Amino acid sequence: MPGEVRQVALLLLPQDEQAVVEAIIERYPAVKFLESRPWEAESVPPIVGSINSSGSSLAIWNSKIHPTLPVDIRPNGNIMGPQIGPVVQWLRSREIPSGSLNAGRWAATVGNGQSPEMSDFIKGIWDVLMKLTRNELERLKKGSYNEDSVVSESRFRIGPMALERAMCGELKLVSGGMILRPRP
């Protein structure tokens, strides 16, 4: 039986992401970040040198736990690595030119079939994320356009730079059609 998917929604600016990456690498030196694109060869994952030069979708890979990753060779010849399972999926937040930050997320498989080492790694990087972010946001109630009609929203983690810019009114926080803001 496959495990469950654990996920967390993220509102991170590039500086926030870089702080998370540095803290993860400090704790887990074997970690690599893979861009979600076709691989050059089965043994050549697309490792990124810097998260800020990568695309919008990554995988967090602990090469100490999984020295090699399974691949899928598509009918068109593209070699694709895993998006979840032996890696943690990272869909990056995107700042839209209009001054909005669209939420990203982390997703990981936990539970049945997961090795104890991978379970510990997932818990460890979640701990890093929790220490470097906050979840003190609120959102407009569904169907309401009244700015005073808000509810607490704790499913999102926000980085300090994103929080600072949102508190100054320089950045609008969004997830799909949901509008979020820091709690006063």
Side-chain angles (χ1 to χ4, degrees):
M1 177 187 308
E4 296 179 31
V5 175
R6 178 180 185 185
Q7 54 186 330
V8 60
L10 305 171
L11 291 156
L12 303 173
L13 288 171
Q15 304 93 318
D16 299 322
E17 292 176 329
Q18 188 60 42
V20 170
V21 166
E22 289 171 7
I24 290 172
I25 291 171
E26 182 177 325
R27 188 166 179 177
Y28 301 100
V31 163
K32 310 236 182 307
F33 296 85
L34 309 179
E35 195 153 15
S36 295
R37 62 174 169 82
W39 295 23
E40 291 178 30
E42 289 182 53
S43 61
V44 184
I47 297 170
V48 297
S50 165
I51 190 169
N52 293 324
S53 64
S54 69
S56 62
S57 181
L58 300 168
I60 305 170
W61 172 38
N62 189 330
S63 62
K64 185 175 181 182
I65 297 170
H66 296 285
T68 59
L69 292 173
V71 295
D72 178 31
I73 301 175
R74 306 280 167 86
N76 64 2
N78 282 345
I79 302 167
M80 301 301 291
Q83 299 294 308
I84 198 168
V87 298
V88 174
Q89 183 185 59
W90 186 347
L91 302 178
R92 297 177 66 201
S93 305
R94 294 183 330 268
E95 187 173 0
I96 302 165
S98 65
S100 294
L101 184 62
N102 197 9
R105 76 175 180 137
W106 277 5
T109 303
V110 295
N112 291 347
Q114 197 65 273
S115 71
E117 296 83 10
M118 189 65 182
S119 293
D120 289 345
F121 171 67
I122 292 166
K123 181 184 179 315
I125 65 171
W126 245 259
D127 288 346
V128 166
L129 183 69
M130 296 303 139
K131 287 179 182 155
L132 297 175
T133 61
R134 298 172 67 179
N135 69 342
E136 298 165 4
L137 299 173
E138 60 187 20
R139 64 174 166 78
L140 291 177
K141 285 184 182 177
K142 187 172 181 164
S144 173
Y145 295 99
N146 179 348
E147 284 289 318
D148 296 325
S149 182
V150 296
V151 293
S152 179
E153 180 56 72
S154 61
R155 294 175 294 173
F156 291 79
R157 301 300 301 188
I158 186 167
M161 293 302 295
L163 181 60
E164 181 181 316
R165 285 191 50 206
M167 291 179 81
C168 294
E170 296 174 13
L171 191 63
K172 184 176 169 184
L173 307 172
V174 297
S175 179
M178 190 183 318
I179 298 173
L180 301 147
R181 67 182 187 196
R183 274 189 252 159

